[in-house]
Amino acid sequence: MTTVYNNNIMTALPVMEHFYTLQGEGYHQGKAAYFIRLAGCDVGCVWCDVKESWEADKHPKLDIECLKLEVAKTPAKMVVITGGEPLLYNLDELTKELQAAGLQTNIETSGSSPLTGSWNWICLSPKKFKEPLPQVIKAADELKIIVFNKSDFAWAEKYAALVSPICKLYLQPEWSMAERMTPLIVEHIKANPQWELSLQIHKYINVP
Ligand code: SF4
């Protein structure tokens, strides 16, 4: 079982990997970003492509100061905190330090744990396996729905009705189902032009 540390001040966090690359998905697609992938997830999506992130204990805990220094070795302006499920941890200290260093803080979350941290951009990607909390839904700047099967379109519309009116809306095919789902997504967007297409371009251009 995954422990939720959301109420504790965290000066070190379990990190599966961190790297400088291009954001491949959603609103910031194509922009340079430093990714910090926190380890630990209690959501359990059957199609998860980072299952090795699930067990936090299998990954080293890195000091926030050390992470900041690693980001500073690059010209990155934007840091994306992802997982795993990053909101398992209290991210107040991490985001405070990153923003103090002049960095934009973005998060990718399923919204399944309470929101902590100071964010320039919140990408909510709700999952059926553990639904998001209302607090995170309301705060989202971007709603990104991973389309694995046809029923996900109704799921997408359910959340589109709950987010703020200025929240950007994206449909993204689950990687292994992309061939089958992308044509359906295209038709859905044509019929519902408030949505946009998100592709995992980092997988097409072979960057992490
Ligand atoms: S929330 Fe993300 S990391 Fe967790 S199981 Fe789902 S896809 Fe994987």
Side-chain angles (χ1 to χ4, degrees), residues 37-38 40-51 53-54 82-86 108-110 112 125-127 129 146:
R37 185 182 303 286
L38 300 182
C41 187
D42 60 352
V43 180
C45 307
V46 288
W47 42 259
C48 177
D49 60 357
V50 281
K51 289 195 168 97
S53 72
W54 287 7
T82 186
E85 175 38 68
E108 311 233 339
T109 177
S110 69
S112 54
S125 186
K127 306 294 183 333
F129 310 93
I146 311 303

Side-chain angles (χ1 to χ4, degrees), residues 88-105:
L88 285 178
Y89 308 101
N90 185 306
L91 300 175
D92 290 346
E93 194 64 21
L94 175 65
T95 52
K96 187 179 86 181
E97 288 295 321
L98 293 173
Q99 286 182 334
L103 294 156
Q104 177 175 334
T105 57

Side-chain angles (χ1 to χ4, degrees), residues 9 12-13 31 40 44 49 93 107 113 123 143 145 167 197 207-208:
I9 298 293
L13 292 156
K31 295 180 192 169
D49 60 357
E93 194 64 21
I107 186 170
S113 291
C123 173
L143 175 69
I145 302 290
C167 183
L197 175 65
V207 297

Side-chain angles (χ1 to χ4, degrees), residues 87 111-112 116 136 162 166:
L87 287 181
S112 54
T116 58
V136 190
L162 298 176
I166 55 167

Side-chain angles (χ1 to χ4, degrees), residues 93-186:
E93 194 64 21
L94 175 65
T95 52
K96 187 179 86 181
E97 288 295 321
L98 293 173
Q99 286 182 334
L103 294 156
Q104 177 175 334
T105 57
N106 294 13
I107 186 170
E108 311 233 339
T109 177
S110 69
S112 54
S113 291
L115 188 63
T116 58
S118 172
W119 301 105
N120 297 106
W121 192 263
I122 296 174
C123 173
L124 170 66
S125 186
K127 306 294 183 333
K128 286 178 177 164
F129 310 93
K130 191 172 180 211
E131 296 198 20
L133 303 176
Q135 173 205 31
V136 190
I137 297 171
K138 291 284 171 226
D141 297 292
E142 170 182 354
L143 175 69
K144 183 173 67 188
I145 302 290
I146 311 303
V147 180
F148 182 75
N149 60 37
K150 283 184 186 171
S151 71
D152 291 328
F153 291 106
W155 164 259
E157 295 300 346
K158 168 181 160 181
Y159 283 99
L162 298 176
V163 293
S164 104
I166 55 167
C167 183
K168 303 285 291 177
L169 305 178
Y170 290 94
L171 296 171
Q172 177 176 299
E174 193 278 324
W175 182 249
S176 70
M177 301 297 278
E179 208 173 315
R180 201 177 310 171
M181 287 300 132
T182 305
L184 301 183
I185 291 173
V186 169

